[in-house]
Amino acid sequence: MAIASFVLQMEPGRGAEAAAALSRVPGLTLEFSGEQNLVAVVERASAELPQVESGLKEVPGVLCVITAYLNIEDELEAAGSC
Amino acid sequence: MTVLRNKWILIPAVVLVLLGSYFLFLNTAFTGTRCEGARVKHGQVPEDQSDCYTCHKKTTPKAAQDWYESKHGMILVKCYVCHGQPDGKGAVPFTATPSVATVCQRCHAPAIDLMQSKFGVRDQCETCHMFHTSSLHHGAYGKSESKEKFE
Amino acid sequence: MNINRRQFIKYSAAAFAMLLLDKGPALAAPDQGVERWVKGVCRYCGTGCGVMVGVRDNKVVMVKGDPNNHNRGMLCLKGALLPSVVHAPDRLTQPLIRKEGKLTPASWDEALDLTAAKFKEAMAQFGAQSVGFYGSGQNLTEESYLANKIFKGGLKCNNVDGNPRLCMASAVGGYVTTFGKDEPFGSYEDLDAATCFFIIGSNTSECHPVLFRRIAARKQNDKNVRVIVVDPRVTNTARIADMHLAIRPGTDLALLNAMAHIILNEELDEPRFHSKYAAFKAVEDGKPVDKTFEDYRAFLAEYTPEKAAEITGIPAAAIVKAAQLFASSSATMSLWCMGLNQRVRGVWANNLVHNLHLLTGKLGRPGSTSFSLTGQPNACGGVRDTGSLAHLLPAGRVVANKDHRNQMEALWGLPPDSLHPDPGLFATALFGALGEKVKALLVLCTNPAQSLPNVKKYTQNLRHPGKFMAVIEAFGDAETLKYADVVFPAAFWCEREGVYGCSERRYSLLEKAIDPPGQARPSVNILVDLATRMGVDPKFVPFKNSAEVWDEWRTVSASSAYNFKGMTRERLRKTSGLLWPCPTEDHPGTKIRYVRGEDPNVPADHPDKYFFYGNPNGRATIWLRPHKPAAEEPDAEYPLVMTTGRVIDQWHTGTMTNKVPEIRAAFPNAYVEINVEDAKRLNINNGDSVLVETRRGKLTLPARVGEVCRPGLIFTPFFDAKKLVNELTVDAIDDISKQPEFKICAARIARA
């Protein structure tokens, strides 16, 4: 599994709408929601992260997604050696 | 205490100490949950093994092998060319998904233009052409039937 | 609070993201905000990839491939990471003069006047041959042409040489002695049509990556394509090879003669071609003498596959198979680089590759060509074509030929018989004479203190109290600056405009994208300023910029087979490069030379399809060249062969690539590559410190144990200024080309 944090830049005033959409993404927790920015932390298999990231861009009101921090805990862990 | 009076020395020093202790803490505090094979962390790699591939062969063998067999691996477009370096000092951002505008475009601008004219604007090349695992890349140049064994 | 590692990382991840929040606007523009794209050429190797330089606020922020140049938008690792080099923190921004042993800032006038005074003083006291110029295959064509004109025409000094002597001289010798004129027969387009690639002495994958990609793509598209790689190391290039021949270093001549033997013996030759277009020759008592086909066959008789196997260490059956593949394919392309050139018999090795093509008629048709790869971006266009070597004059002329000198005197508006009639000193001789016969030297854009062979010997000259050396350089950390008396800061790469000519005779314009930093100036202007202060008539160098130099050089070329008069600046601005000959402004350029209907130098009504107009008999030459070993073979005392070379990440002496943070982090240090068998015998493990020793010096390097080197061979790259590998290499030179044998010397290793 891997952990990544994303900064989402929002169109002004659509934060709540986006937060509601984001709550349906599995493995995602919303750590911060500001006026124009949201910070989301996602825990998913590393191979799925790119899809998660492109999914985030489809969320209504999101202008831009920045991968802020990535800690790929690698495939070995997913195979149960951890 | 002349050193302390100079905040331009002090601030970086404090930042360094804080960063240092963060990574020290991260690497010592949770020994029970450390992963096998991932003994070396980014930023602590011995100099003679600083090539990403050397470690990632062990820590992320599938990703490493997919790259090695891909077109990018064959022509030695190495990890850091697209993914940047963990120290973040370079021009390429350190990320798992390289940006189309700043990374892919450097070599694939003609292909990107072609794809956009065919299918419209997509946000990522990777949605269809997976960087490491797509069949387009996997086993590239290995399909040739001309591989005969010569003694 | 109970918290595990996973949660801790999550919180950290969130915290890191928060840190970025106040940078909002910058993050919203992920595409670097390029304001304009400027066309250019990559700064690194001789592949000469077209690039588009992305500029914002007078800064290079991005580089991408030029889709209209031969590379079709592709770049390699180094090219893609070019922007960091331009804005490196240790760029030189003001002139420096050595005072009390230290380089200290000075004004342009001080630095130029001091240099001019030192040159004038030397010439007044010891004559014109007591000064010299050492250039580079990385200069712009205009810079090399101008320096050559200033020294040979203005100062009447033929000591004009450059680092192409260390890398291309043998290829020049090979082309000139075989075909009569320098530079390749074909072009990169042959890579798309060849059905057999014979790659010998070239690690194309790491040294010319974009061309390697093209070969690999060719192989992927056509499963009948065969790739033969001859290299004592199993390099990355060998990954696409059908056959890898792990040759014993220094035995290439025996292999190539054996392949010719097999081709004749199996009647795979093309008598229609070689009986009509080739002449056979050998050198006897120092003079070339005519030979017949039967003489050649008799000469080859001793090079049986079995004997060649004994010499080269390659199984006889593999040599036979390689010769068969070479000769029986529909289109064979040979590619080579330093593996053949950096040899005491480099010219011979080049001749023997051409021999195979002439014997089998694999020349002058798409995909059939013998193609020499060049190491530097402008060794071909800049140095070979402008004749900026000690024995040459522009456009294929030679100093020793009176007619050639008279032609240049007429073109340069000099009185007849005013050029100095004797060739000047070539690279190693020039540095060997520094401080003694040569008192003042100007170095432009190269780093000889790291790149000369057996370099300790020449650093003694660089330290000589009687020498004066001025260096025009962009980077403050070049090894050579340690010995410089004056340093001029140069505009780098896209900070000025000029032409680069790559391996395939393609000239492309590198347009100016940004202003140089600080007081740095374009080298053309530095050279003109220096020349006039040295007393050269300002009317002889009336150039305000490189475009004016180009126009003169273009006109000068018109009277030669190089003729590129049709490549006006305007045209070069519009296109992504043109291949010479290109005599008129509507000529599209030439893909294949010496062929009727392709090469404008062959008359349209020429009776034969091929015409080797560079040779008096109109034929190409098949040379009878016997096998000769390397200058320093391994022995009981030094039982291993050491070879040097490049790695893909780094380029030359690393003054540019080490400015790239990504590369510096990934590949900062030199190493020594050792075969597992040798390592086991000497009890060396991967990563151990190993003492590498040759007769000239020793170095401690970390070991990389593997199967890349053949047993008995060790390899080290030469980019690392902390480990001057060239302190170990040998400076034996090729008799004809004067190129040193970097690739082979005897060494021993032990755990340090």
Side-chain angles (χ1 to χ4, degrees):
Chain A
M1 298 291 267
I3 293 168
S5 60
F6 298 95
V7 178
L8 308 165
Q9 291 200 328
M10 311 297 304
E11 285 173 40
R14 297 187 67 179
E17 188 188 342
L22 288 171
S23 66
R24 290 191 289 274
V25 179
L28 183 144
T29 42
L30 213 52
E31 297 286 351
F32 171 82
S33 40
E35 197 123 304
Q36 289 195 12
N37 293 296
L38 300 178
V39 171
V41 175
V42 179
E43 183 178 358
R44 292 279 282 274
S46 57
E48 293 169 20
L49 276 177
Q51 280 96 318
V52 172
E53 192 187 338
S54 49
L56 291 179
K57 290 180 187 168
E58 304 296 326
V59 171
V62 170
L63 283 175
C64 168
V65 177
I66 301 104
T67 310
Y69 177 92
L70 202 63
N71 186 71
I72 298 186
E73 287 279 278
D74 62 56
E75 278 85 345
L76 286 174
E77 189 187 1
S81 67
C82 207
Chain B
M1 294 297 278
T2 44
V3 177
L4 273 181
R5 256 178 249 139
N6 188 342
K7 63 177 179 172
W8 299 114
I9 296 179
L10 190 63
I11 291 169
V14 169
V15 171
L16 267 179
V17 168
L18 284 178
L19 267 181
S21 31
Y22 170 76
F23 285 111
L24 197 70
F25 179 67
L26 184 59
N27 276 288
T28 48
F30 309 103
T31 45
T33 51
R34 291 294 299 279
C35 292
E36 284 287 333
R39 283 193 200 92
V40 181
K41 285 287 164 190
H42 284 151
Q44 304 181 331
V45 179
E47 271 197 342
D48 59 324
Q49 292 172 22
S50 48
D51 202 6
C52 320
Y53 181 69
T54 316
C55 279
H56 279 270
K57 260 195 305 201
K58 296 172 204 142
T59 56
T60 61
K62 184 165 185 313
Q65 186 65 17
D66 282 347
W67 170 81
Y68 182 78
E69 289 175 14
S70 74
K71 285 187 180 178
H72 279 164
M74 184 65 89
I75 61 174
L76 298 177
V77 176
K78 296 191 179 180
C79 313
Y80 62 82
V81 182
C82 305
H83 296 291
Q85 286 282 16
D87 64 11
K89 285 180 192 152
V92 183
F94 180 55
T95 168
T97 46
S99 137
V100 181
T102 57
V103 172
C104 308
Q105 202 203 172
R106 293 176 302 182
C107 290
H108 300 291
I112 292 169
D113 290 346
L114 180 71
M115 288 295 124
Q116 288 193 347
S117 65
K118 273 184 162 173
F119 306 112
V121 177
R122 301 283 171 101
D123 52 352
Q124 272 290 343
C125 307
E126 214 244 1
T127 319
C128 305
H129 308 279
M130 310 245 264
F131 300 136
H132 289 285
T133 52
S134 137
S135 63
L136 185 82
H137 288 76
H138 195 77
Y141 310 123
K143 294 196 190 100
S144 164
E145 285 171 25
S146 67
K147 287 259 180 200
E148 292 170 31
K149 287 278 170 230
F150 296 102
E151 283 307 309
Chain C
M1 191 165 77
N2 192 10
I3 166 172
N4 64 19
R5 178 179 160 85
R6 165 142 286 108
Q7 282 161 337
F8 181 75
I9 290 171
K10 275 182 148 181
Y11 293 143
S12 317
F16 268 78
M18 307 280 192
L19 282 176
L20 292 172
L21 282 183
D22 61 349
K23 290 187 193 165
L27 295 167
D31 62 343
Q32 315 269 351
V34 172
E35 283 165 1
R36 61 199 165 92
W37 293 99
V38 181
K39 183 164 65 69
V41 187
C42 177
R43 179 62 182 73
Y44 291 113
C45 78
T47 305
C49 294
V51 297
M52 302 301 291
V53 181
V55 181
R56 188 187 67 213
D57 299 336
N58 199 39
K59 283 225 147 57
V60 175
V61 290
M62 196 176 155
V63 165
K64 65 176 182 179
D66 177 356
N68 300 315
N69 213 314
H70 67 78
N71 51 312
R72 300 165 194 166
M74 293 290 168
L75 292 177
C76 76
L77 171 166
K78 292 188 288 288
L81 297 171
L82 256 169
S84 312
V85 184
V86 184
H87 305 293
D90 48 1
R91 282 291 305 276
L92 290 166
T93 54
Q94 55 183 336
L96 305 170
I97 293 179
R98 190 170 296 279
K99 286 178 186 155
E100 289 157 12
K102 274 185 79 177
L103 285 172
T104 43
S107 74
W108 271 101
D109 277 331
E110 275 178 273
L112 288 164
D113 284 338
L114 175 65
T115 307
K118 289 283 184 182
F119 271 71
K120 275 159 76 176
E121 187 187 309
M123 287 188 289
Q125 213 177 337
F126 305 100
Q129 308 314 310
S130 67
V131 298
F133 172 83
Y134 188 70
S136 156
Q138 299 157 56
N139 299 341
L140 297 173
T141 302
E142 293 88 340
E143 293 162 4
S144 291
Y145 173 81
L146 179 60
N148 200 27
K149 185 181 181 189
I150 290 170
F151 278 79
K152 287 182 187 155
L155 306 176
K156 309 292 185 294
C157 165
N158 286 340
N159 294 333
V160 175
D161 219 64
N163 61 12
R165 182 72 72 183
L166 313 179
C167 94
M168 293 315 305
S170 296
V172 177
Y175 276 122
V176 172
T177 50
T178 297
F179 300 114
K181 291 282 172 201
D182 185 22
E183 299 286 354
F185 209 114
S187 73
Y188 292 154
E189 280 190 12
D190 290 309
L191 295 166
D192 305 327
T195 53
C196 174
F197 291 93
F198 182 62
I199 303 173
I200 176 165
S202 158
N203 182 4
T204 322
S205 155
E206 298 198 57
C207 303
H208 301 87
V210 172
L211 297 182
F212 177 75
R213 192 205 72 85
R214 201 155 161 180
I215 299 168
R218 170 81 188 114
K219 188 170 160 66
Q220 196 189 28
N221 292 342
D222 182 347
K223 56 189 173 215
N224 295 311
V225 168
R226 299 288 192 273
V227 179
I228 307 163
V229 173
V230 185
D231 197 314
R233 296 169 63 221
V234 190
T235 59
N236 192 69
T237 310
R239 279 185 72 190
I240 61 162
D242 298 282
M243 291 187 80
H244 175 260
L245 309 181
I247 190 170
R248 183 178 296 142
T251 61
D252 37 16
L253 301 168
L255 171 73
L256 294 164
N257 274 333
M259 286 174 68
H261 172 100
I262 295 156
I263 287 167
L264 291 187
N265 199 36
E266 306 226 341
E267 301 207 0
L268 294 167
D269 59 329
E270 184 68 76
R272 267 181 62 211
F273 189 93
H274 66 70
S275 65
K276 192 168 177 184
Y277 298 116
F280 297 85
K281 281 186 184 169
V283 173
E284 284 172 7
D285 302 326
K287 287 218 171 63
V289 290
D290 288 333
K291 293 282 170 184
T292 62
F293 177 69
E294 286 312 316
D295 294 335
Y296 181 55
R297 183 189 277 279
F299 159 79
L300 289 177
E302 61 170 309
Y303 294 98
T304 58
E306 292 70 30
K307 189 188 165 191
E310 212 175 284
I311 299 172
T312 61
I314 304 167
I319 301 176
V320 172
K321 185 78 200 170
Q324 286 169 342
L325 285 178
F326 185 103
S328 56
S329 89
S330 56
T332 301
M333 182 167 189
S334 294
L335 296 154
W336 68 94
C337 199
M338 294 311 127
L340 292 194
N341 293 343
Q342 290 179 335
R343 294 264 291 104
V344 286
R345 299 290 165 189
V347 175
W348 290 16
N350 274 262
N351 287 143
L352 295 190
V353 175
H354 300 316
N355 280 3
L356 297 179
H357 285 269
L358 288 165
L359 270 187
T360 55
K362 301 221 180 290
L363 277 171
R365 281 172 283 118
S368 280
T369 199
S370 62
F371 197 98
S372 143
L373 295 165
T374 314
Q376 297 185 84
N378 200 23
C380 288
V383 175
R384 286 158 71 171
D385 300 354
T386 66
S388 302
L389 291 174
H391 65 296
L392 295 176
L393 288 169
R397 299 179 178 88
V398 293
V399 169
N401 184 320
K402 187 174 183 311
D403 292 342
H404 289 180
R405 287 199 308 277
N406 292 153
Q407 288 165 13
M408 283 320 297
E409 284 151 1
L411 286 163
W412 280 343
L414 295 169
D417 300 323
S418 59
L419 290 181
H420 197 277
D422 300 326
L425 297 168
F426 53 88
T428 47
L430 184 63
F431 283 96
L434 192 59
E436 285 147 29
K437 252 168 67 189
V438 174
K439 303 291 181 190
L441 183 70
L442 178 64
V443 174
L444 173 54
C445 191
T446 179
N447 194 6
Q450 187 173 344
S451 61
L452 286 169
N454 189 10
V455 70
K456 261 195 224 161
K457 179 170 148 189
Y458 300 102
T459 42
Q460 282 172 12
N461 292 89
L462 290 170
R463 285 202 189 93
H464 198 291
K467 77 96 184 55
F468 174 84
M469 182 168 75
V471 179
I472 304 176
E473 173 62 63
F475 299 105
D477 60 344
E479 188 72 13
T480 308
L481 297 193
K482 288 182 188 164
Y483 311 98
D485 299 291
V486 169
V487 179
F488 298 107
F492 173 71
W493 192 45
C494 60
E495 291 163 0
R496 84 294 203 214
E497 183 190 271
V499 176
Y500 265 2
C502 70
S503 296
E504 64 158 356
R505 290 178 282 110
R506 178 189 295 266
Y507 288 174
S508 310
L509 184 67
L510 174 56
E511 291 175 33
K512 182 178 168 176
I514 58 166
D515 293 321
Q519 301 176 35
R521 285 190 197 172
S523 302
V524 163
N525 303 79
I526 303 175
L527 288 168
V528 169
D529 208 340
L530 255 183
T532 46
R533 285 175 204 235
M534 280 179 198
V536 173
D537 183 356
K539 284 189 219 120
F540 190 66
V541 283
F543 310 112
K544 284 193 290 295
N545 54 44
S546 70
E548 295 179 2
V549 183
W550 176 255
D551 270 340
E552 176 177 311
W553 168 221
R554 191 167 60 83
T555 322
V556 164
S557 80
S559 56
S560 71
Y562 287 68
N563 195 349
F564 54 90
K565 191 156 191 301
M567 290 191 202
T568 59
R569 209 67 166 187
E570 203 44 46
R571 229 182 137 190
L572 287 176
R573 240 178 263 288
K574 282 186 198 142
T575 61
S576 292
L578 288 163
L579 280 73
W580 61 264
C582 177
T584 55
E585 285 184 38
D586 54 1
H587 194 279
T590 304
K591 299 272 162 64
I592 304 174
R593 291 170 91 193
Y594 310 115
V595 171
R596 188 183 57 207
E598 297 278 347
D599 184 340
N601 292 317
V602 181
D605 58 351
H606 192 78
D608 301 318
K609 190 183 171 201
Y610 295 80
F611 176 37
F612 295 96
Y613 45 79
N615 283 334
N617 59 4
R619 290 174 173 229
T621 308
I622 290 179
W623 286 96
L624 283 61
R625 306 283 204 197
H627 171 64
K628 285 268 162 58
E632 191 181 83
E633 292 277 326
D635 52 24
E637 212 183 333
Y638 295 91
L640 300 172
V641 173
M642 186 183 100
T643 193
T644 70
R646 280 191 198 158
V647 293
I648 188 169
D649 310 66
Q650 297 274 4
W651 198 75
H652 274 204
T653 58
T655 50
M656 292 185 286
T657 37
N658 267 327
K659 305 290 185 295
V660 180
E662 285 90 348
I663 291 178
R664 208 171 45 232
F667 218 117
N669 300 318
Y671 57 90
V672 56
E673 203 171 73
I674 306 166
N675 183 277
V676 276
E677 282 179 31
D678 296 321
K680 212 167 165 187
R681 189 165 43 80
L682 297 162
N683 196 23
I684 293 169
N685 293 312
N686 207 18
D688 284 356
S689 259
V690 170
L691 182 71
V692 183
E693 246 182 304
T694 72
R695 289 189 172 84
R696 291 151 297 280
K698 50 188 160 185
L699 271 184
T700 310
L701 293 163
R704 277 200 192 178
V705 177
E707 310 236 350
V708 179
C709 282
R710 79 195 296 283
L713 180 75
I714 56 172
F715 167 85
T716 73
F718 73 100
F719 67 83
D720 191 350
K722 305 183 295 296
K723 305 277 182 185
L724 293 180
V725 168
N726 276 321
E727 289 183 351
L728 310 188
T729 50
V730 67
D731 61 347
I733 53 167
D734 183 307
D735 284 348
I736 308 172
S737 69
K738 318 296 181 197
Q739 179 162 350
E741 191 164 57
F742 285 93
K743 288 293 179 199
I744 301 168
C745 70
R748 63 183 174 212
I749 53 171
R751 263 176 79 157

